[in-house]
Amino acid sequence: MEKDKAIDYAMQLNHVAQVRAVDRSLPLMPRGGRIIFVTSHLAHFYGQKPVSPIVYEPVAQSKKAGEEAVRSRIAELATRGIKLLVVSGDLIEGTITPKLMQRHNPGMIESRRKQAGSLPSVEDFAHAIVDCAANTQLESGATIFVGSTEWEIAQAQLNQKSFL
Protein backbone atom coordinates (compact mmCIF):
# COMPACT_ATOMS: atom_id res chain seq x y z
CA MET A 1 0.00 0.00 0.00
CA GLU A 2 3.05 2.24 0.29
CA LYS A 3 4.29 4.09 -2.76
CA ASP A 4 7.56 3.41 -4.55
CA LYS A 5 8.27 0.03 -2.96
CA ALA A 6 9.68 -3.04 -4.70
CA ILE A 7 7.10 -5.44 -6.09
CA ASP A 8 8.00 -8.03 -3.43
CA TYR A 9 8.02 -5.53 -0.54
CA ALA A 10 4.85 -6.88 1.11
CA MET A 11 6.10 -10.47 0.89
CA GLN A 12 9.50 -9.52 2.32
CA LEU A 13 7.89 -7.65 5.22
CA ASN A 14 4.99 -9.94 6.06
CA HIS A 15 6.36 -13.37 5.21
CA VAL A 16 10.15 -13.49 4.95
CA ALA A 17 10.81 -11.16 7.89
CA GLN A 18 8.32 -13.01 10.11
CA VAL A 19 9.97 -16.37 9.43
CA ARG A 20 13.39 -14.84 10.09
CA ALA A 21 12.15 -13.35 13.36
CA VAL A 22 11.02 -16.81 14.49
CA ASP A 23 14.31 -18.39 13.38
CA ARG A 24 16.37 -15.85 15.27
CA SER A 25 14.16 -15.85 18.37
CA LEU A 26 13.94 -19.59 18.94
CA PRO A 27 17.47 -20.05 20.35
CA LEU A 28 16.70 -17.34 22.92
CA MET A 29 13.26 -18.53 23.96
CA PRO A 30 12.72 -20.62 27.09
CA ARG A 31 10.22 -23.46 27.40
CA GLY A 32 6.80 -21.99 28.03
CA GLY A 33 7.47 -19.12 25.62
CA ARG A 34 4.93 -17.86 23.13
CA ILE A 35 5.14 -16.46 19.65
CA ILE A 36 2.27 -14.10 18.87
CA PHE A 37 1.64 -13.63 15.16
CA VAL A 38 -0.32 -10.42 14.56
CA THR A 39 -2.46 -10.19 11.44
CA SER A 40 -5.64 -8.72 10.00
CA HIS A 41 -8.92 -10.50 9.35
CA LEU A 42 -8.52 -9.68 5.66
CA ALA A 43 -5.21 -11.55 5.66
CA HIS A 44 -6.26 -14.38 7.99
CA PHE A 45 -9.30 -15.12 5.81
CA TYR A 46 -7.51 -14.43 2.50
CA GLY A 47 -8.84 -16.78 -0.15
CA GLN A 48 -12.08 -17.31 1.78
CA LYS A 49 -13.44 -13.76 1.82
CA PRO A 50 -13.14 -10.94 -0.73
CA VAL A 51 -10.29 -8.43 -0.72
CA SER A 52 -9.69 -5.55 -3.09
CA PRO A 53 -7.22 -6.61 -5.78
CA ILE A 54 -5.46 -3.22 -5.82
CA VAL A 55 -5.65 -1.80 -2.33
CA TYR A 56 -4.99 -4.65 0.09
CA GLU A 57 -4.60 -7.93 -1.78
CA PRO A 58 -0.76 -7.92 -1.89
CA VAL A 59 -0.70 -7.25 1.86
CA ALA A 60 -3.36 -9.88 2.61
CA GLN A 61 -1.59 -12.44 0.45
CA SER A 62 1.78 -11.81 2.08
CA LYS A 63 0.44 -11.83 5.64
CA LYS A 64 -1.45 -15.06 4.93
CA ALA A 65 1.78 -16.59 3.59
CA GLY A 66 3.61 -15.49 6.73
CA GLU A 67 0.93 -16.92 8.99
CA GLU A 68 0.92 -20.24 7.13
CA ALA A 69 4.73 -20.45 7.21
CA VAL A 70 4.84 -19.89 10.96
CA ARG A 71 1.87 -22.22 11.57
CA SER A 72 3.68 -24.96 9.65
CA ARG A 73 6.22 -24.97 12.49
CA ILE A 74 3.80 -25.69 15.35
CA ALA A 75 5.12 -29.26 15.79
CA GLU A 76 8.72 -28.03 15.89
CA LEU A 77 7.77 -25.31 18.38
CA ALA A 78 6.00 -27.88 20.57
CA THR A 79 9.23 -29.90 20.91
CA ARG A 80 10.77 -26.74 22.39
CA GLY A 81 7.79 -26.09 24.67
CA ILE A 82 6.80 -22.96 22.73
CA LYS A 83 3.29 -22.09 21.59
CA LEU A 84 2.26 -20.14 18.51
CA LEU A 85 -0.81 -17.93 18.93
CA VAL A 86 -2.40 -15.65 16.35
CA VAL A 87 -4.20 -12.37 17.01
CA SER A 88 -6.27 -11.18 14.07
CA GLY A 89 -7.98 -7.80 13.91
CA ASP A 90 -10.66 -6.03 11.95
CA LEU A 91 -9.80 -2.52 10.80
CA ILE A 92 -8.30 -0.87 13.88
CA GLU A 93 -9.71 2.58 14.60
CA GLY A 94 -7.24 5.41 13.96
CA THR A 95 -4.39 3.33 12.49
CA ILE A 96 -2.56 3.98 9.24
CA THR A 97 -3.79 0.95 7.28
CA PRO A 98 -7.46 2.00 7.16
CA LYS A 99 -6.36 5.55 6.35
CA LEU A 100 -4.29 4.33 3.41
CA MET A 101 -7.16 2.14 2.26
CA GLN A 102 -9.58 5.05 2.50
CA ARG A 103 -7.49 6.99 -0.04
CA HIS A 104 -8.61 4.46 -2.64
CA ASN A 105 -12.16 4.21 -1.35
CA PRO A 106 -13.45 7.37 0.37
CA GLY A 107 -16.04 6.53 3.00
CA MET A 108 -14.69 3.02 3.49
CA ILE A 109 -13.95 3.43 7.21
CA GLU A 110 -17.42 4.76 8.02
CA SER A 111 -19.00 2.05 5.88
CA ARG A 112 -17.07 -0.65 7.74
CA ARG A 113 -17.90 0.95 11.09
CA LYS A 114 -21.62 0.81 10.23
CA GLN A 115 -21.38 -2.74 8.93
CA ALA A 116 -19.49 -4.04 12.00
CA GLY A 117 -21.26 -1.87 14.59
CA SER A 118 -17.93 -0.44 15.71
CA LEU A 119 -14.23 -0.83 15.04
CA PRO A 120 -11.79 -2.01 17.67
CA SER A 121 -9.33 0.49 19.11
CA VAL A 122 -5.57 0.18 19.36
CA GLU A 123 -6.09 -0.48 23.07
CA ASP A 124 -8.56 -3.31 22.32
CA PHE A 125 -6.02 -4.90 20.01
CA ALA A 126 -3.15 -4.45 22.47
CA HIS A 127 -5.20 -5.99 25.30
CA ALA A 128 -5.96 -9.00 23.10
CA ILE A 129 -2.25 -9.50 22.40
CA VAL A 130 -1.33 -9.26 26.08
CA ASP A 131 -4.21 -11.52 27.12
CA CYS A 132 -3.19 -14.03 24.45
CA ALA A 133 0.42 -14.04 25.65
CA ALA A 134 -0.61 -14.47 29.29
CA ASN A 135 -3.30 -17.12 28.83
CA THR A 136 -1.59 -20.45 29.49
CA GLN A 137 -4.79 -22.36 28.64
CA LEU A 138 -4.71 -21.49 24.93
CA GLU A 139 -3.62 -24.29 22.64
CA SER A 140 -0.81 -23.69 20.18
CA GLY A 141 -2.30 -22.49 16.90
CA ALA A 142 -5.28 -20.77 18.53
CA THR A 143 -6.53 -17.61 16.84
CA ILE A 144 -7.99 -14.74 18.84
CA PHE A 145 -10.23 -12.38 16.86
CA VAL A 146 -10.55 -8.68 17.68
CA GLY A 147 -13.59 -7.05 16.12
CA SER A 148 -16.12 -8.45 13.70
CA THR A 149 -15.05 -11.18 11.29
CA GLU A 150 -18.08 -10.65 9.07
CA TRP A 151 -17.98 -8.34 6.09
CA GLU A 152 -19.43 -7.94 2.66
CA ILE A 153 -18.03 -6.27 -0.38
CA ALA A 154 -20.48 -5.40 -3.11
CA GLN A 155 -19.54 -6.60 -6.60
CA ALA A 156 -19.60 -3.00 -7.79
CA GLN A 157 -16.93 -2.14 -5.21
CA LEU A 158 -14.76 -5.05 -6.34
CA ASN A 159 -15.17 -3.90 -9.93
CA GLN A 160 -13.99 -0.43 -8.86
CA LYS A 161 -11.01 -2.07 -7.15
CA SER A 162 -12.03 -0.70 -3.81
CA PHE A 163 -12.11 -2.17 -0.34
CA LEU A 164 -15.05 -2.75 2.00
Side-chain angles (χ1 to χ4, degrees), residues 67-112:
E67 181 179 345
E68 289 176 349
V70 176
R71 280 185 183 278
S72 74
R73 298 177 68 178
I74 288 175
E76 171 196 354
L77 296 173
T79 65
R80 296 170 175 259
I82 297 169
K83 291 182 180 181
L84 169 69
L85 303 164
V86 175
V87 177
S88 176
D90 194 354
L91 296 181
I92 306 298
E93 193 75 62
T95 60
I96 191 63
T97 299
K99 290 175 186 177
L100 290 172
M101 294 163 70
Q102 179 136 315
R103 286 184 188 170
H104 295 277
N105 187 0
M108 180 272 308
I109 295 172
E110 186 56 34
S111 175
R112 179 63 187 146

Coordinates of all heavy atoms in Angstrom, one line a residue, residues 67-112:
E67 N 1.7 -16.1 8.0 CA 0.9 -16.9 9.0 C 1.0 -18.4 8.7 O 1.3 -19.2 9.6 CB -0.5 -16.5 9.0 CG -1.3 -17.3 10.1 CD -2.8 -16.8 10.2 OE1 -3.2 -15.8 9.6 OE2 -3.6 -17.6 10.8
E68 N 0.8 -18.8 7.5 CA 0.9 -20.2 7.1 C 2.3 -20.8 7.4 O 2.5 -21.9 7.8 CB 0.5 -20.5 5.7 CG -1.0 -20.3 5.5 CD -1.5 -20.4 4.1 OE1 -0.7 -20.4 3.2 OE2 -2.7 -20.5 3.9
A69 N 3.3 -20.0 7.0 CA 4.7 -20.5 7.2 C 5.0 -20.7 8.7 O 5.7 -21.7 9.1 CB 5.7 -19.4 6.6
V70 N 4.6 -19.7 9.5 CA 4.8 -19.9 11.0 C 4.0 -21.0 11.5 O 4.5 -21.8 12.4 CB 4.6 -18.5 11.7 CG1 4.8 -18.7 13.2 CG2 5.6 -17.5 11.2
R71 N 2.7 -21.1 11.1 CA 1.9 -22.2 11.6 C 2.4 -23.6 11.2 O 2.3 -24.6 12.0 CB 0.5 -22.1 11.0 CG -0.4 -21.1 11.7 CD -1.8 -21.2 11.1 NE -2.7 -20.2 11.7 CZ -3.3 -20.3 12.9 NH1 -3.2 -21.4 13.6 NH2 -4.1 -19.4 13.3
S72 N 3.1 -23.7 10.1 CA 3.7 -25.0 9.7 C 4.8 -25.5 10.6 O 5.2 -26.6 10.6 CB 4.3 -24.9 8.2 OG 5.5 -24.1 8.2
R73 N 5.2 -24.6 11.5 CA 6.2 -25.0 12.5 C 5.7 -25.3 13.9 O 6.5 -25.4 14.8 CB 7.2 -23.8 12.5 CG 7.9 -23.7 11.1 CD 8.8 -22.5 11.0 NE 10.0 -22.8 11.8 CZ 11.0 -22.0 11.9 NH1 11.0 -20.9 11.2 NH2 12.1 -22.3 12.6
I74 N 4.4 -25.4 14.0 CA 3.8 -25.7 15.4 C 4.4 -26.9 16.0 O 4.7 -27.0 17.2 CB 2.3 -25.7 15.3 CG1 1.7 -24.3 15.1 CG2 1.7 -26.4 16.5 CD1 0.2 -24.2 14.8
A75 N 4.6 -28.0 15.2 CA 5.1 -29.3 15.8 C 6.5 -29.0 16.3 O 6.9 -29.5 17.4 CB 5.1 -30.4 14.8
E76 N 7.3 -28.3 15.5 CA 8.7 -28.0 15.9 C 8.7 -27.2 17.2 O 9.5 -27.4 18.1 CB 9.4 -27.3 14.8 CG 10.8 -26.7 15.1 CD 11.3 -25.7 14.2 OE1 10.7 -25.4 13.1 OE2 12.3 -25.1 14.5
L77 N 7.8 -26.2 17.2 CA 7.8 -25.3 18.4 C 7.4 -26.1 19.6 O 7.9 -25.9 20.7 CB 6.8 -24.2 18.1 CG 7.1 -23.2 17.0 CD1 6.0 -22.2 16.8 CD2 8.4 -22.5 17.3
A78 N 6.5 -27.1 19.4 CA 6.0 -27.9 20.6 C 7.2 -28.7 21.2 O 7.2 -28.8 22.4 CB 4.9 -28.8 20.1
T79 N 8.1 -29.2 20.4 CA 9.2 -29.9 20.9 C 10.1 -29.0 21.8 O 10.8 -29.5 22.6 CB 10.1 -30.5 19.8 OG1 10.7 -29.5 19.0 CG2 9.3 -31.4 18.9
R80 N 10.0 -27.7 21.6 CA 10.8 -26.7 22.4 C 9.9 -26.2 23.5 O 10.4 -25.3 24.3 CB 11.2 -25.6 21.5 CG 12.2 -26.0 20.4 CD 12.4 -24.8 19.5 NE 13.4 -25.1 18.5 CZ 14.7 -24.7 18.5 NH1 15.1 -23.9 19.5 NH2 15.5 -24.9 17.5
G81 N 8.7 -26.6 23.6 CA 7.8 -26.1 24.7 C 7.3 -24.7 24.4 O 7.0 -23.9 25.3
I82 N 7.2 -24.3 23.1 CA 6.8 -23.0 22.7 C 5.5 -23.1 22.0 O 5.3 -23.9 21.1 CB 7.9 -22.3 21.9 CG1 9.2 -22.1 22.7 CG2 7.4 -21.0 21.3 CD1 10.4 -21.7 21.9
K83 N 4.6 -22.1 22.3 CA 3.3 -22.1 21.6 C 3.3 -20.9 20.6 O 3.9 -19.9 20.8 CB 2.2 -21.9 22.6 CG 1.9 -23.0 23.5 CD 0.7 -22.7 24.4 CE 0.4 -23.9 25.3 NZ -0.7 -23.6 26.2
L84 N 2.6 -21.2 19.5 CA 2.3 -20.1 18.5 C 0.8 -19.7 18.7 O -0.1 -20.6 18.7 CB 2.5 -20.6 17.1 CG 1.9 -19.7 16.0 CD1 2.7 -18.4 15.9 CD2 1.8 -20.4 14.7
L85 N 0.6 -18.5 18.8 CA -0.8 -17.9 18.9 C -0.9 -16.8 17.9 O 0.0 -16.1 17.6 CB -1.1 -17.4 20.3 CG -0.8 -18.5 21.4 CD1 -0.7 -17.9 22.8 CD2 -1.9 -19.5 21.4
V86 N -2.1 -16.7 17.4 CA -2.4 -15.7 16.3 C -3.4 -14.7 16.9 O -4.5 -15.1 17.4 CB -2.9 -16.3 15.0 CG1 -3.3 -15.3 14.0 CG2 -1.8 -17.3 14.5
V87 N -3.2 -13.4 16.7 CA -4.2 -12.4 17.0 C -4.5 -11.7 15.7 O -3.6 -11.1 15.0 CB -3.7 -11.4 18.1 CG1 -4.7 -10.3 18.3 CG2 -3.4 -12.1 19.4
S88 N -5.8 -11.7 15.3 CA -6.3 -11.2 14.1 C -7.3 -10.1 14.4 O -8.2 -10.2 15.2 CB -6.9 -12.3 13.3 OG -7.5 -11.8 12.1
G89 N -7.1 -8.9 13.7 CA -8.0 -7.8 13.9 C -8.7 -7.3 12.7 O -8.2 -7.4 11.6
D90 N -9.9 -6.8 13.0 CA -10.7 -6.0 12.0 C -9.9 -4.7 11.7 O -8.8 -4.5 12.2 CB -12.0 -5.7 12.5 CG -13.1 -5.3 11.5 OD1 -12.7 -5.1 10.3 OD2 -14.2 -5.1 11.9
L91 N -10.4 -3.8 10.9 CA -9.8 -2.5 10.8 C -9.7 -1.9 12.2 O -10.6 -2.0 13.0 CB -10.7 -1.6 9.9 CG -10.9 -2.0 8.5 CD1 -11.7 -0.9 7.8 CD2 -9.6 -2.2 7.8
I92 N -8.5 -1.4 12.5 CA -8.3 -0.9 13.9 C -8.5 0.6 13.8 O -7.8 1.3 13.0 CB -6.9 -1.3 14.4 CG1 -6.7 -2.8 14.4 CG2 -6.7 -0.7 15.8 CD1 -7.7 -3.6 15.2
E93 N -9.4 1.1 14.6 CA -9.7 2.6 14.6 C -8.5 3.4 14.8 O -7.6 3.2 15.6 CB -10.7 2.9 15.8 CG -11.3 4.2 15.7 CD -12.4 4.3 14.7 OE1 -13.4 3.6 14.8 OE2 -12.3 5.1 13.8
G94 N -8.3 4.4 13.8 CA -7.2 5.4 14.0 C -5.9 5.0 13.5 O -4.9 5.7 13.6
T95 N -5.7 3.8 12.9 CA -4.4 3.3 12.5 C -4.2 3.7 11.0 O -5.1 4.0 10.3 CB -4.2 1.8 12.7 OG1 -5.2 1.1 12.0 CG2 -4.3 1.5 14.2
I96 N -2.9 3.5 10.6 CA -2.6 4.0 9.2 C -3.2 3.1 8.1 O -3.5 3.6 7.1 CB -1.0 4.1 9.1 CG1 -0.6 4.8 7.8 CG2 -0.4 2.7 9.2 CD1 -1.1 6.2 7.7
T97 N -3.3 1.8 8.4 CA -3.8 1.0 7.3 C -5.2 1.4 6.8 O -5.4 1.6 5.6 CB -3.8 -0.5 7.7 OG1 -2.4 -0.9 8.0 CG2 -4.3 -1.4 6.6
P98 N -6.2 1.5 7.7 CA -7.5 2.0 7.2 C -7.4 3.4 6.5 O -8.1 3.6 5.5 CB -8.3 2.1 8.4 CG -7.7 1.2 9.4 CD -6.2 1.2 9.1
K99 N -6.5 4.2 7.0 CA -6.4 5.6 6.4 C -5.8 5.4 4.9 O -6.3 6.1 4.0 CB -5.5 6.4 7.2 CG -6.1 6.9 8.5 CD -5.2 7.7 9.4 CE -5.8 7.9 10.7 NZ -4.8 8.6 11.6
L100 N -4.8 4.5 4.8 CA -4.3 4.3 3.4 C -5.3 3.7 2.5 O -5.4 4.0 1.3 CB -3.0 3.4 3.5 CG -1.8 4.1 4.1 CD1 -0.7 3.0 4.3 CD2 -1.3 5.2 3.3
M101 N -6.1 2.8 3.0 CA -7.2 2.1 2.3 C -8.2 3.1 1.9 O -8.8 3.1 0.8 CB -7.7 1.0 3.0 CG -6.7 -0.1 3.2 SD -7.1 -1.3 4.5 CE -8.5 -2.2 3.8
Q102 N -8.5 4.1 2.8 CA -9.6 5.0 2.5 C -9.2 6.0 1.3 O -10.1 6.5 0.7 CB -9.9 5.9 3.8 CG -10.9 6.9 3.5 CD -12.0 7.0 4.6 OE1 -12.5 6.0 5.0 NE2 -12.3 8.2 5.0
R103 N -7.9 6.2 1.1 CA -7.5 7.0 0.0 C -8.0 6.4 -1.3 O -8.4 7.2 -2.2 CB -6.0 7.0 -0.1 CG -5.3 7.9 0.9 CD -3.8 7.9 0.6 NE -3.1 8.5 1.6 CZ -1.8 8.5 1.7 NH1 -1.0 7.9 0.8 NH2 -1.2 9.1 2.7
H104 N -8.1 5.1 -1.4 CA -8.6 4.5 -2.6 C -10.1 4.3 -2.6 O -10.7 4.1 -3.7 CB -8.0 3.1 -2.8 CG -6.5 3.1 -3.0 ND1 -6.0 3.4 -4.3 CD2 -5.5 3.0 -2.2 CE1 -4.7 3.4 -4.2 NE2 -4.3 3.2 -2.9
N105 N -10.7 4.4 -1.5 CA -12.2 4.2 -1.4 C -12.7 5.1 -0.3 O -12.9 4.7 0.9 CB -12.5 2.8 -1.0 CG -13.9 2.4 -1.0 OD1 -14.8 3.3 -1.3 ND2 -14.3 1.2 -0.7
P106 N -12.9 6.4 -0.6 CA -13.4 7.4 0.4 C -14.8 6.8 1.0 O -15.6 6.3 0.3 CB -13.7 8.6 -0.5 CG -12.7 8.5 -1.6 CD -12.6 7.0 -1.9
G107 N -14.9 7.0 2.3 CA -16.0 6.5 3.0 C -15.9 5.1 3.5 O -16.8 4.6 4.2
M108 N -14.8 4.4 3.1 CA -14.7 3.0 3.5 C -14.7 2.8 5.0 O -15.3 1.9 5.5 CB -13.4 2.5 2.9 CG -13.1 1.1 3.1 SD -12.1 0.7 4.6 CE -10.7 1.8 4.5
I109 N -14.0 3.6 5.8 CA -14.0 3.4 7.2 C -15.3 3.6 7.8 O -15.8 2.7 8.6 CB -13.0 4.4 7.9 CG1 -11.5 4.1 7.4 CG2 -13.0 4.3 9.4 CD1 -10.5 5.2 7.8
E110 N -16.1 4.6 7.5 CA -17.4 4.8 8.0 C -18.3 3.6 7.6 O -19.1 3.1 8.4 CB -18.0 6.1 7.6 CG -19.3 6.4 8.3 CD -19.3 6.4 9.8 OE1 -18.3 6.7 10.4 OE2 -20.3 6.0 10.4
S111 N -18.2 3.2 6.4 CA -19.0 2.0 5.9 C -18.7 0.8 6.7 O -19.6 0.1 7.1 CB -18.7 1.8 4.4 OG -19.4 0.7 3.9
R112 N -17.4 0.5 7.0 CA -17.1 -0.6 7.7 C -17.6 -0.5 9.2 O -18.0 -1.5 9.8 CB -15.6 -0.9 7.7 CG -15.1 -2.0 8.5 CD -15.7 -3.3 8.0 NE -15.4 -4.5 8.9 CZ -16.2 -5.5 9.1 NH1 -17.3 -5.6 8.4 NH2 -15.8 -6.4 9.9

